[in-house]
Every structure is written in C-alpha cells, then in structure tokens.
Amino acid sequence: MSAVAAPVITFSRTPGATLAPHTYPDVSFEEKLRLWEEVKADVRFPDYLYGCYECGICVASCPSARFYDFSPRKIAQAAAREDVELIYEQMNDDVWNCSQCFSCNRCPRQNSPGGIITVLREVAVRNGLRTSQKALEGYGRVVYKIMTTGTQVSPDMLQPDAFPDWGPDVQAISDNLDLWRRALPPETLHTTTTGWEVAESTLIELYLIWYYSDVMGMIEEVDEGLHMIIVDVMEETLEDAGYEI
Amino acid sequence: MATIPIESIKRAPFRPDVADAPTVDIRELLFQLEEDGELIVQRVPEPYVEVMTKYGRTKKIPEQMTWHHKSCGQCGHIPGYSTSIFWLNRKLGMEYIDPKDQTSCTGWNYYASATSNAVAQAAVAARNFAAAHETGYFPIIHCGTSYGHYKEVREELVHHADLRAKVRDIMGKLGKQLVWPEEVVHYSEWVHAMRDRIAAGQTRDFSNIVASVHPACHYYKLVQEDAIYDPDLYGGQRTATVTGLIKAVGATVGDYSTFFDCCGFGFRHILVQRDFSRSFATMRKIEVMKEEANPDVVITHDTGCVTTLDQSQFAVRAHQRNVGVPVMSDAQFAALAMGAHPYRVCQLHWHSTDHRNLLEKMGIDWEQAWIEFESDLKRLERNEIEHLSWEDADA
C-alpha cells in the first residue's frame, strides 16, 4: 500500500472539485477562481464549449498530443467540470504546447479546445503568470516586430544563428539580402526590415488600435522591458502625427 | 505505421444539401446587420465565379478588382509565393492593387503568444477591410491564417453586439467605417476558380509530375464551412482547393494517409520550439508522403505550411530520415505551368529543399535559368536597374 494517500476525487459542477489538488499549492484557490472567472467572462468562451462526449476525436487529430503530454480533451473536460485547480495547472503547464491548428474543431459537440486555449493563454498573459513569461522568452522580438512594423516576420530575421537548422541557404539569403530583395518584381517587397512596405499613416492607425484595445496593458504585464521599448517607438511616431498618449 | 484507409473516401460522391447545413448562412446575418445600420457589407465585384463550399452553399470568387492582403511569412521569407500570385493575375489580365495601406492580420503572433485580445484582433481586421473598401477593390487574402482568423473574427462580430460596438468605436476614432466583405476569399480559392484558364495558358507539360497536397488547417478547420468542396474531387469528402489545380494542369495527385494532419507549424513552435515542428513535419507528413506516394513535389496553400514542410527537411537528413521533396505553393506551381521563370518569378532560391530534379522533370533548364537570374543580379549590382521589373521577369 502506498504511504501517500490518494487524493479525494469528486465530480461536480461546483468550482473547487478537482483532479489536480496538489499542484501550485502556493497560489490560493481564490486567485485561481478569479482567473477562471476571467476566462468565462470572455465573450467567446460560450462559443467554444458545449460539453464533452470524451470521444477523443480531438486528441486523435491533435499534433501536440503526439509529441507532448498534452490532451485537448482534458482541456475541454476541465473547463466543462469547472475544475479550477486543474484549469490553473493547465494554464501554466499545458496551454503553450498547443499548436493552435484547430484540428480539434472536428469535435462532434462543436467544442473548440484550441479556442478555449486561446482564451486561457490570453488570461495568463494579461495577468502576468510567470509561466507565460517563460513561454514567451525569446519571443519578444517577434512581438516587437508585429506591433511596431505591422508585419510579423522580416527578411532580415533570416540569420544563420537564428535558424541554424534550416541549412546553408539561410547564409546565402542573409549574405545577399539587399540584392535579392531588389530582384523582386512587386514594388512593395523591396524591404529588408519588414515583410512589405507599410505606409506610415497605416502604422499610426495600428498603434492607435493597440492603445484603444488595451493590448499595451497586456504587454506591460508580461514583459515590462519590451513594453518600454515598444512605447518609445510608438510614442515618437504618434506624437509626430499630433497624437498625445 | 497505422494509416487511414484511403479507399473509404472513394465511394459515391457526397453532394451536400444546403437545407441540411448545420450552420446559419453568416452572410445573411451580415446583410441583416447592414440593413440595421450597424456596418457596411462590401459586395463581391462582377464578374465572379461561383463555387460550392462544405455544406453546399455557393460562394462568389471575384475574378479581378482585387485588393491583395499580403502575408507576413510569404513576403518576408518566401517572396516567390506572393510574386507568383501577382504574376498569375497579370498573366490572366486581371486588375488588382498591391496596397501599402495594409497591416498583417497579426494572427500569427496572436496564435503564438496571445499578446492581444478579441477587440484588437477584430479592429485590425476591420481597419484592413475599411482600407480595401476605400479603394473600391475587393480584399483577397494571401495567408491561410489571415483567412481563417478573419472568418473567426466575422463569427465573433456577427454574434456579439458588445464586441461590434467596441470595434465600431475604435473605427470611428480612426475616422473609418465598420466594413466587412460579403465573402472572405483566400487567394487559393481564386487559383481554384481560375484553374481552367491557367490550364488553357499552360506552356509546360506536367503529365509526368506527381504532386502530394497538404491542405492548410486554418483554411478548412478553423472555420470549416467556407472552404471549397467538390463532389468530383475526393468524393466531396476533402477540400478541393489545391487538388483541383493540380489535376487541371495534368499532374498526378499522390495521395497519402495523413492528409488531414497539420504541418507542425505551431505558430510559436516554428519560431522558438522548432524541434516539435521539425519532428511532426517530417515524421507525420513528408515521410508518409514519400512512403505512400513518392511525390516529385508537395503543393500547399499557406505560408506556414510551405515554410515548415520545406525548412524542416534539412536537419533531419542527419538522422537518415526518408525526406527530400521540394515544397511550394499552388500559385508557384501554377505559375511554373504557365511558363514563369523559376527564379525571377517563383524565387525558388529562397526555398530549402533541392528543387532541381523537379525542374528538370518540368522541362526547365535550371542551370540556364540561374545564369539568367545571376545576370539580373549583376545589373542590379551595377545599378543599371533599381529593381527587377515585371517586364524583366518575363524577358
């Protein structure tokens, strides 16, 4: 007989019943419940969860389930049961494994485990969970690029030290970047620091969207340093255009 | 390896009855919102081609007067993809705009990092669509994720008045109206609609080419019903986009059992956790294709899929994996069929996996083509020309 008593497992729709009673004991149940309420308050959440047959179709189609200890079915199940402890564990340990391909949308109950994960991630980022900060380590330059230039990846990101596993052609691209970009017939593509040429008036509108929709607040929660850099770039452009932040 | 029996989907063609559609027609809801004064619906310009979608509804694909919503990854890392889309439009005599008043949908970042929210994502979409509407040209989306994400945003906007109000408020502050297009159209749907005209203009024989198709998840899974299906292709059980083009230009479709699997892109994984992307792309896709169909080329229709399936093959060669198939988009494949230059137009030197055998099977002298492209580069180096022009590309 094991010296450790098995956890008591109960099934109920009452928030608090759990299959994960021993994870993250330093975080209070009230805090975990607060985050769960934030998830449920998202306007999209009711469209993503209708119940679960436990059929496993989502798991069978999930690429992440093949390579990680990850299950979209467990995500839907925990949300349906409102297992606050398990949801908190998933919000920290599971959601960043998801590929966001939405293969799981073939669910016969019309659930979207991938959609639930999108909301769980958003709440994790908005509340500055340490695990989300860690998951996004090394990703900051991409956030910077998309928010300040309006394009996600740029030709000058193709550097051998960033993509050593993509083979020697990356070196050739990097070495010839300016010339090869000039050898593109579409006139919007003669850029190296952005995917295409974005008009400054367009960028200003994008910056205003980030401010009006409080994305800036989310960035501040997850990475203060990155937030400062982005604000610097945006404020200068916006002030030059006559906007006060 | 366990496989899905392909024979099971080769039974009698499935012809969906729109009366049995499990969803409401979202376009009807859009028109109702327009009637209520909540937004403007930009109509598909004539002439258009009508195609059937998953539940038997009809979708309009504009032939021209299109506003090209470009893709981050295509423009940034595989620019022959975007160039080929534009080249096809020019070759077929279609009028279009390649706008600078366009941002990314920002969906790649959103699905990777969640550093955004529903209001921001909808506002970015609405801003781009308002910009298209202001030109009078109709938006056509190059990226599969942008296409899927915009359909997802459309669902959210239509069903949530609160969200609509917030986005309309932001648009008002930008001096713009809340506009949504009558149809969300992916460029590959345009290629599909144009496939017979592409075949009519074909200058190269593809009858000895075997091509395997990878359908993009965000094209037909994220929001399922808008994707094109055809009872005559896969019995109507799989999306017809891409496959229709391959058959139209006379190539053979190399079928394989993991057709429905994702490519492994993963959004954040391809940038910061590529061991996952590489493993999935090679073990679940490329190797299965090689074992079951041994294709000359993999054809897909999204940014991330081309990137992941192509770039993942280099490193695994060190582990003696069964890989080595060039990967390109349907637009590049169609352009090559119509005589496009492999480097000036299709820009295959930005791709990783060796494509030279494929070009030889297509009857293209790749050595000569590269010499021609190098001569262009020398002219650019000497500043005889500032950029390669469309005329240079067809010289």
Side-chain angles (χ1 to χ4, degrees), chain B residues 130-147:
Chain B
H133 183 246
E134 286 161 11
T135 66
Y137 285 65
F138 194 84
I140 188 163
I141 316 293
H142 285 194
C143 177
T145 284
S146 302
Y147 167 85

PDB file of all heavy atoms in Angstrom, chain B residues 130-147:
ATOM      1  N   ALA B 130     -11.655  48.158 -44.125  1.00  0.00           N
ATOM      2  CA  ALA B 130     -12.071  49.539 -44.429  1.00  0.00           C
ATOM      3  C   ALA B 130     -11.127  50.145 -45.470  1.00  0.00           C
ATOM      4  O   ALA B 130     -11.567  50.850 -46.387  1.00  0.00           O
ATOM      5  CB  ALA B 130     -12.079  50.376 -43.150  1.00  0.00           C
ATOM      6  N   ALA B 131      -9.828  49.854 -45.321  1.00  0.00           N
ATOM      7  CA  ALA B 131      -8.841  50.374 -46.276  1.00  0.00           C
ATOM      8  C   ALA B 131      -9.115  49.825 -47.674  1.00  0.00           C
ATOM      9  O   ALA B 131      -9.024  50.558 -48.670  1.00  0.00           O
ATOM     10  CB  ALA B 131      -7.427  49.999 -45.827  1.00  0.00           C
ATOM     11  N   ALA B 132      -9.462  48.548 -47.768  1.00  0.00           N
ATOM     12  CA  ALA B 132      -9.791  47.961 -49.077  1.00  0.00           C
ATOM     13  C   ALA B 132     -11.030  48.636 -49.648  1.00  0.00           C
ATOM     14  O   ALA B 132     -11.058  49.025 -50.817  1.00  0.00           O
ATOM     15  CB  ALA B 132     -10.018  46.454 -48.931  1.00  0.00           C
ATOM     16  N   HIS B 133     -12.041  48.792 -48.824  1.00  0.00           N
ATOM     17  CA  HIS B 133     -13.309  49.375 -49.274  1.00  0.00           C
ATOM     18  C   HIS B 133     -13.105  50.786 -49.813  1.00  0.00           C
ATOM     19  O   HIS B 133     -13.734  51.184 -50.802  1.00  0.00           O
ATOM     20  CB  HIS B 133     -14.292  49.381 -48.090  1.00  0.00           C
ATOM     21  CG  HIS B 133     -15.654  49.885 -48.438  1.00  0.00           C
ATOM     22  ND1 HIS B 133     -16.157  51.061 -47.920  1.00  0.00           N
ATOM     23  CD2 HIS B 133     -16.603  49.391 -49.269  1.00  0.00           C
ATOM     24  CE1 HIS B 133     -17.369  51.265 -48.408  1.00  0.00           C
ATOM     25  NE2 HIS B 133     -17.676  50.272 -49.219  1.00  0.00           N
ATOM     26  N   GLU B 134     -12.203  51.530 -49.169  1.00  0.00           N
ATOM     27  CA  GLU B 134     -11.946  52.913 -49.605  1.00  0.00           C
ATOM     28  C   GLU B 134     -11.390  52.959 -51.034  1.00  0.00           C
ATOM     29  O   GLU B 134     -11.570  53.932 -51.751  1.00  0.00           O
ATOM     30  CB  GLU B 134     -10.963  53.595 -48.634  1.00  0.00           C
ATOM     31  CG  GLU B 134     -11.618  53.957 -47.295  1.00  0.00           C
ATOM     32  CD  GLU B 134     -10.596  54.205 -46.180  1.00  0.00           C
ATOM     33  OE1 GLU B 134      -9.385  54.294 -46.476  1.00  0.00           O
ATOM     34  OE2 GLU B 134     -11.025  54.272 -45.009  1.00  0.00           O
ATOM     35  N   THR B 135     -10.710  51.885 -51.456  1.00  0.00           N
ATOM     36  CA  THR B 135     -10.143  51.864 -52.815  1.00  0.00           C
ATOM     37  C   THR B 135     -11.151  51.384 -53.855  1.00  0.00           C
ATOM     38  O   THR B 135     -10.920  51.538 -55.055  1.00  0.00           O
ATOM     39  CB  THR B 135      -8.926  50.909 -52.897  1.00  0.00           C
ATOM     40  OG1 THR B 135      -9.385  49.560 -52.685  1.00  0.00           O
ATOM     41  CG2 THR B 135      -7.866  51.261 -51.876  1.00  0.00           C
ATOM     42  N   GLY B 136     -12.223  50.748 -53.398  1.00  0.00           N
ATOM     43  CA  GLY B 136     -13.185  50.170 -54.332  1.00  0.00           C
ATOM     44  C   GLY B 136     -12.791  48.787 -54.829  1.00  0.00           C
ATOM     45  O   GLY B 136     -13.512  48.179 -55.615  1.00  0.00           O
ATOM     46  N   TYR B 137     -11.653  48.291 -54.368  1.00  0.00           N
ATOM     47  CA  TYR B 137     -11.214  46.945 -54.749  1.00  0.00           C
ATOM     48  C   TYR B 137     -11.593  45.961 -53.628  1.00  0.00           C
ATOM     49  O   TYR B 137     -11.660  46.335 -52.465  1.00  0.00           O
ATOM     50  CB  TYR B 137      -9.699  46.915 -54.996  1.00  0.00           C
ATOM     51  CG  TYR B 137      -9.293  47.554 -56.313  1.00  0.00           C
ATOM     52  CD1 TYR B 137      -9.485  48.919 -56.525  1.00  0.00           C
ATOM     53  CD2 TYR B 137      -8.723  46.807 -57.337  1.00  0.00           C
ATOM     54  CE1 TYR B 137      -9.117  49.509 -57.729  1.00  0.00           C
ATOM     55  CE2 TYR B 137      -8.357  47.387 -58.537  1.00  0.00           C
ATOM     56  CZ  TYR B 137      -8.554  48.735 -58.732  1.00  0.00           C
ATOM     57  OH  TYR B 137      -8.201  49.316 -59.917  1.00  0.00           O
ATOM     58  N   PHE B 138     -11.773  44.698 -54.007  1.00  0.00           N
ATOM     59  CA  PHE B 138     -12.275  43.708 -53.061  1.00  0.00           C
ATOM     60  C   PHE B 138     -11.120  42.912 -52.443  1.00  0.00           C
ATOM     61  O   PHE B 138     -10.239  42.429 -53.163  1.00  0.00           O
ATOM     62  CB  PHE B 138     -13.227  42.734 -53.776  1.00  0.00           C
ATOM     63  CG  PHE B 138     -14.038  41.888 -52.846  1.00  0.00           C
ATOM     64  CD1 PHE B 138     -15.226  42.361 -52.301  1.00  0.00           C
ATOM     65  CD2 PHE B 138     -13.597  40.617 -52.489  1.00  0.00           C
ATOM     66  CE1 PHE B 138     -15.969  41.582 -51.430  1.00  0.00           C
ATOM     67  CE2 PHE B 138     -14.346  39.834 -51.610  1.00  0.00           C
ATOM     68  CZ  PHE B 138     -15.526  40.316 -51.087  1.00  0.00           C
ATOM     69  N   PRO B 139     -11.126  42.735 -51.118  1.00  0.00           N
ATOM     70  CA  PRO B 139      -9.982  42.055 -50.484  1.00  0.00           C
ATOM     71  C   PRO B 139      -9.882  40.576 -50.856  1.00  0.00           C
ATOM     72  O   PRO B 139     -10.880  39.862 -50.890  1.00  0.00           O
ATOM     73  CB  PRO B 139     -10.259  42.215 -48.985  1.00  0.00           C
ATOM     74  CG  PRO B 139     -11.714  42.481 -48.875  1.00  0.00           C
ATOM     75  CD  PRO B 139     -12.119  43.192 -50.130  1.00  0.00           C
ATOM     76  N   ILE B 140      -8.660  40.170 -51.138  1.00  0.00           N
ATOM     77  CA  ILE B 140      -8.359  38.751 -51.359  1.00  0.00           C
ATOM     78  C   ILE B 140      -7.154  38.444 -50.469  1.00  0.00           C
ATOM     79  O   ILE B 140      -6.178  39.193 -50.444  1.00  0.00           O
ATOM     80  CB  ILE B 140      -8.106  38.445 -52.845  1.00  0.00           C
ATOM     81  CG1 ILE B 140      -7.990  36.945 -53.082  1.00  0.00           C
ATOM     82  CG2 ILE B 140      -6.885  39.172 -53.386  1.00  0.00           C
ATOM     83  CD1 ILE B 140      -8.146  36.548 -54.546  1.00  0.00           C
ATOM     84  N   ILE B 141      -7.251  37.356 -49.699  1.00  0.00           N
ATOM     85  CA  ILE B 141      -6.322  37.125 -48.596  1.00  0.00           C
ATOM     86  C   ILE B 141      -5.251  36.115 -49.008  1.00  0.00           C
ATOM     87  O   ILE B 141      -5.575  34.992 -49.394  1.00  0.00           O
ATOM     88  CB  ILE B 141      -7.090  36.568 -47.362  1.00  0.00           C
ATOM     89  CG1 ILE B 141      -8.404  37.319 -47.121  1.00  0.00           C
ATOM     90  CG2 ILE B 141      -6.203  36.584 -46.132  1.00  0.00           C
ATOM     91  CD1 ILE B 141      -8.296  38.724 -46.699  1.00  0.00           C
ATOM     92  N   HIS B 142      -3.996  36.488 -48.893  1.00  0.00           N
ATOM     93  CA  HIS B 142      -2.912  35.587 -49.300  1.00  0.00           C
ATOM     94  C   HIS B 142      -2.620  34.510 -48.254  1.00  0.00           C
ATOM     95  O   HIS B 142      -2.165  33.430 -48.598  1.00  0.00           O
ATOM     96  CB  HIS B 142      -1.628  36.377 -49.552  1.00  0.00           C
ATOM     97  CG  HIS B 142      -1.639  37.150 -50.851  1.00  0.00           C
ATOM     98  ND1 HIS B 142      -0.505  37.695 -51.400  1.00  0.00           N
ATOM     99  CD2 HIS B 142      -2.655  37.476 -51.702  1.00  0.00           C
ATOM    100  CE1 HIS B 142      -0.811  38.312 -52.536  1.00  0.00           C
ATOM    101  NE2 HIS B 142      -2.117  38.197 -52.729  1.00  0.00           N
ATOM    102  N   CYS B 143      -2.788  34.822 -46.996  1.00  0.00           N
ATOM    103  CA  CYS B 143      -2.361  33.908 -45.925  1.00  0.00           C
ATOM    104  C   CYS B 143      -3.525  33.051 -45.428  1.00  0.00           C
ATOM    105  O   CYS B 143      -4.633  33.559 -45.221  1.00  0.00           O
ATOM    106  CB  CYS B 143      -1.789  34.723 -44.768  1.00  0.00           C
ATOM    107  SG  CYS B 143      -1.312  33.725 -43.358  1.00  0.00           S
ATOM    108  N   GLY B 144      -3.268  31.769 -45.216  1.00  0.00           N
ATOM    109  CA  GLY B 144      -4.301  30.878 -44.713  1.00  0.00           C
ATOM    110  C   GLY B 144      -4.742  31.235 -43.311  1.00  0.00           C
ATOM    111  O   GLY B 144      -5.924  31.143 -42.967  1.00  0.00           O
ATOM    112  N   THR B 145      -3.781  31.656 -42.486  1.00  0.00           N
ATOM    113  CA  THR B 145      -4.141  32.044 -41.122  1.00  0.00           C
ATOM    114  C   THR B 145      -4.952  33.332 -41.129  1.00  0.00           C
ATOM    115  O   THR B 145      -5.948  33.454 -40.402  1.00  0.00           O
ATOM    116  CB  THR B 145      -2.868  32.176 -40.260  1.00  0.00           C
ATOM    117  OG1 THR B 145      -2.409  30.867 -39.943  1.00  0.00           O
ATOM    118  CG2 THR B 145      -3.143  32.926 -38.960  1.00  0.00           C
ATOM    119  N   SER B 146      -4.572  34.303 -41.948  1.00  0.00           N
ATOM    120  CA  SER B 146      -5.365  35.532 -42.030  1.00  0.00           C
ATOM    121  C   SER B 146      -6.792  35.201 -42.462  1.00  0.00           C
ATOM    122  O   SER B 146      -7.763  35.707 -41.901  1.00  0.00           O
ATOM    123  CB  SER B 146      -4.768  36.516 -43.038  1.00  0.00           C
ATOM    124  OG  SER B 146      -3.446  36.836 -42.697  1.00  0.00           O
ATOM    125  N   TYR B 147      -6.898  34.343 -43.452  1.00  0.00           N
ATOM    126  CA  TYR B 147      -8.213  33.936 -43.978  1.00  0.00           C
ATOM    127  C   TYR B 147      -9.049  33.270 -42.871  1.00  0.00           C
ATOM    128  O   TYR B 147     -10.186  33.649 -42.616  1.00  0.00           O
ATOM    129  CB  TYR B 147      -7.980  32.988 -45.150  1.00  0.00           C
ATOM    130  CG  TYR B 147      -9.172  32.219 -45.651  1.00  0.00           C
ATOM    131  CD1 TYR B 147     -10.057  32.767 -46.575  1.00  0.00           C
ATOM    132  CD2 TYR B 147      -9.391  30.902 -45.236  1.00  0.00           C
ATOM    133  CE1 TYR B 147     -11.133  32.030 -47.053  1.00  0.00           C
ATOM    134  CE2 TYR B 147     -10.458  30.166 -45.713  1.00  0.00           C
ATOM    135  CZ  TYR B 147     -11.330  30.732 -46.619  1.00  0.00           C
ATOM    136  OH  TYR B 147     -12.388  29.995 -47.090  1.00  0.00           O
TER     137      TYR B 147
END
